[in-house]
Amino acid sequence: EAQVTQNPRYLITVTGKKLTVTCSQNMNHEYMSWYRQDPGLGLRQIYYSMNVEVTDKGDVPEGYKVSRKEKRNFPLILESPSPNQTSLYFCASSPRGPTNEKLFFGSGTQLSVL
Amino acid sequence: AQSVSQHNHHVILSEAASLELGCNYSYGGTVNLFWYVQYPGQHLQLLLKYFSGDPLVKGIKGFEAEFIKSKFSFNLRKPSVQWSDTAEYFCAVEGGNQFYFGTGTSLTVIP
């Protein structure tokens, strides 16, 4: 089944403890991106990647890192999480980039930073 | 700066009522426009999209949207809503390899 898989679905952590949220797609998509969803703010793009080893900042990249060593994986790394990073995170992918293509979304990761 | 505005934050309708959700955007170049839906407990799914051509686009589940370039708008409509349409709806604009989402409209349909 074609899908975008995020793990974990729920994560509670403490301030400063490094964490990684994984994202994997099995559709051979070139484009992948990360969003955070906050009440009243909608979805905001954190980072995106047009292809392997190509990543770019979105609207809210501060406090996050990403890597794209393989086409299928696009992990989101929080080196030193803070409470303001408590949010619902979505990974998404599309075949060749967002232009003229729809995004396929993962199921989301609810992160709470205490 | 690019932005997407959704005017209605919460909408409550009875079944069979008509729906129109507003979406306005600001972006200097060519844009592609989308409406996504997020049903309770699920991830976002594409409702419909506009890239070019006929400004009235039809999507899944009886939804449609009209692109009015002069008004920078892409409003979502459905003639008769159902209880199963209860969800959060996001307008999105793609420009320059980035997606910009609106803040979302929560729709509750009362049986």
Side-chain angles (χ1 to χ4, degrees):
Chain A
E1 180 189 354
Q3 60 185 358
V4 178
T5 304
Q6 290 178 236
N7 279 296
R9 287 293 307 275
Y10 302 95
L11 178 60
I12 301 174
T13 189
V14 295
T15 299
K17 186 174 183 182
K18 180 181 178 179
L19 65 92
T20 299
V21 184
T22 63
C23 175
S24 179
Q25 49 91 5
N26 61 0
M27 297 169 279
N28 202 36
H29 286 174
E30 293 183 357
Y31 180 92
M32 297 185 76
S33 61
W34 276 102
Y35 300 86
R36 60 179 288 175
Q37 183 180 3
D38 301 290
L41 297 175
L43 282 95
R44 294 177 292 168
Q45 191 172 47
I46 303 170
Y47 269 95
Y48 65 97
S49 169
M50 296 296 292
N51 213 324
V52 176
E53 301 292 0
V54 180
T55 62
D56 283 291
K57 295 178 180 179
D59 292 321
V60 287
E62 294 78 19
Y64 304 94
K65 285 174 58 178
V66 292
S67 70
R68 189 89 183 274
K69 293 185 171 61
E70 306 165 280
K71 200 171 192 178
R72 62 183 292 125
N73 295 324
F74 191 47
L76 180 69
I77 303 156
L78 285 71
E79 295 271 4
S80 182
S82 62
N84 64 12
Q85 292 179 298
T86 292
S87 187
L88 178 59
Y89 291 87
F90 286 99
C91 179
S93 72
S94 71
R96 283 171 300 278
T99 302
N100 291 349
E101 302 279 1
K102 75 171 191 178
L103 287 171
F104 293 79
F105 283 86
S107 299
T109 296
Q110 180 64 58
L111 171 66
S112 295
V113 183
L114 305 177
Chain B
Q2 298 84 355
S3 67
V4 180
S5 298
Q6 290 182 240
H7 318 299
N8 319 99
H9 296 291
H10 300 282
V11 174
I12 301 175
L13 295 172
S14 299
E15 274 194 316
S18 65
L19 170 72
E20 180 159 3
L21 301 181
C23 173
N24 286 89
Y25 68 93
S26 67
Y27 186 77
T30 302
V31 295
N32 298 312
L33 301 160
F34 305 79
W35 276 97
Y36 283 86
V37 60
Q38 186 176 23
Y39 297 105
Q42 297 187 27
H43 57 272
L44 284 89
Q45 303 169 46
L46 181 69
L47 261 184
L48 49 79
K49 59 188 178 184
Y50 171 81
F51 295 146
S52 64
D54 188 345
L56 183 63
V57 292
K58 295 189 184 302
I60 60 172
K61 305 185 180 183
F63 285 91
E64 63 178 34
E66 184 175 13
F67 171 49
I68 303 179
K69 191 174 181 179
S70 61
K71 295 184 178 180
F72 296 91
S73 70
F74 190 56
N75 293 353
L76 180 71
R77 300 194 291 252
K78 186 171 183 178
S80 175
V81 295
Q82 301 172 312
W83 175 78
S84 58
D85 293 324
T86 293
E88 190 146 13
Y89 293 80
F90 291 91
C91 180
V93 171
E94 183 276 322
N97 290 328
Q98 284 192 251
F99 267 87
Y100 303 91
F101 286 83
T103 53
T105 297
S106 175
L107 171 65
T108 301
V109 180
I110 302 170

